[in-house]
Amino acid sequence: MSFGQGGPYGPGGSQPPQPSAPDWSALADQSARAGRRRKLLFIGGGALATAAVAAIVATAVVSSGHKDKGGGDSAGGLPTPQDLPSESAAPEPTFSDVAPPAPPKPLDIISSARRDKAPLSAATLFPEKRAAKDDRSYTKAASASTTSCAAGTQGALGSVLTNNGCRKLLRATFSRDGVAVTVGVAVFDGKAAAEKAKNQYKPNIASLTGGGVPAFCRRTACQSSANAIGRYAYFTISGYTSGKAVTASDTAALQAGRDVADYTFRRILARGSAQASAEASATTAN
């Protein structure tokens, strides 16, 4: 078998595969389409980014511009740090840890000679011209004071007062409508002695005459009583200035004795109250 000139690939022989020429028109169209897609993606991405930024800005604007129910700006309504009140420059008050002393009690004062120092006489204890109780009034007729306590008594009462250390006996007589009452106030150093004298009481305090009141309750039956407050024991005897005897059912003499005894109690307690007030004032002043 012979081959022509040029060998197997020469003229008349078999041709090797030839590369096809590129389709320039198709490539141009493809490139154009790719460019358009990139442009659209770029535009789309930019729009999304713009929308996100706009949303953030809108949120910030809405948050900062929120209105309260009253129509005011809730954020703007708060005071700025400069507007807030500053702390006061005045010093803070201080308080002592020591409790003030309790005010003195009148009964405590009149229960001890050491504290009961106010002047004491029939005139200071019974300074008024009348002793009143409710709608009843008794005129003071006479008064007296002695350091010999037994001298102002009759019967066994003198020994009772002396044995318990009586320092002074003050007496005063009051009268009303033919009834007279003498009250005797025995003064001791302390409350215990006064209580003993009251509990050991035996008749009687001696009636005190004068100021228009004649002798009474000396040789006839009369009403008597005994009581005590603080370092003071006080006794009454009441009866008729006419000398009439007081019976168990008699109410006039009994009422008169009670009224004068109540008046005496108030006068002794008032003495304690006056001294308690003076002590409290002195403590406050110091």
Side-chain angles (χ1 to χ4, degrees), residues 165-191:
C166 179
R167 300 295 185 183
K168 185 182 294 188
L169 181 66
L170 314 173
R171 288 185 296 164
T173 295
F174 299 86
S175 66
R176 177 178 182 263
D177 298 336
V179 177
V181 182
T182 293
V183 58
V185 180
V187 185
F188 299 88
D189 287 339
K191 179 179 178 179

Side-chain angles (χ1 to χ4, degrees), residues 8 30 48 72 84 91 102 110 120 123 130 134 143 145 155 165 179 181 204 213 236-237 242 281:
Q30 183 180 356
L48 290 175
L84 293 175
I110 59 174
L120 179 60
R130 292 181 178 274
D134 298 334
S143 62
S145 176
V179 177
V181 182
N204 281 324
V213 175
T236 65
I237 187 166
S242 65
S281 298

